[in-house]
Amino acid sequence: SVLIVESLDRFSRENPFKCVEYISHLDKKQIELHDVDKRLIISRRHSNSLTFATMIAERAYEESRLKSYRIRKGWDKRRRMAKGSI
């Protein structure tokens, strides 16, 4: 079986360790993960694919954390402005 994703960074934006857990779960069920964007097949048959998947997961996670931080700061500023404290 195969799970096809447009891009692995859309598969999970959780901590890379959690993403590897998901991939391991798929592997136990003998399901390959195909990343269309990177043309990457993540499975035991492709020995270094997990290394690439982990790097992609790390980038996605850090990007998600940064966006979350920026959004939170923006909303905090809007709240302060609404209260008249700026």
Side-chain angles (χ1 to χ4, degrees):
S1 297
V2 174
L3 174 62
I4 300 171
V5 294
E6 181 181 348
S7 179
L8 189 60
D9 66 353
R10 306 301 291 167
F11 174 70
S12 174
R13 295 210 173 168
E14 292 191 54
N15 184 296
F17 288 95
K18 192 66 171 173
C19 186
V20 169
E21 281 182 40
Y22 296 150
I23 293 169
S24 294
H25 182 74
L26 291 173
D27 178 66
K28 286 177 188 172
K29 302 290 183 179
Q30 297 181 342
I31 301 170
E32 287 186 346
L33 183 58
H34 290 216
D35 180 323
V36 174
D37 184 51
K38 301 280 189 280
R39 296 180 181 206
L40 179 65
I41 298 173
I42 302 157
S43 73
R44 287 183 186 266
R45 292 185 311 129
H46 300 88
S47 60
N48 60 356
S49 63
L50 187 60
T51 302
F52 290 116
T54 304
M55 290 188 306
I56 294 167
E58 176 66 24
R59 183 185 51 78
Y61 174 68
E62 289 302 324
E63 187 176 300
S64 180
R65 278 183 7 143
L66 180 58
K67 286 179 183 176
S68 177
Y69 172 76
R70 288 178 178 161
I71 289 169
R72 192 174 327 112
K73 282 193 68 147
W75 278 108
D76 288 346
K77 182 178 178 182
R78 287 183 189 97
R79 286 186 197 100
R80 286 193 311 274
M81 288 176 63
K83 291 179 182 178
S85 61
I86 288 187

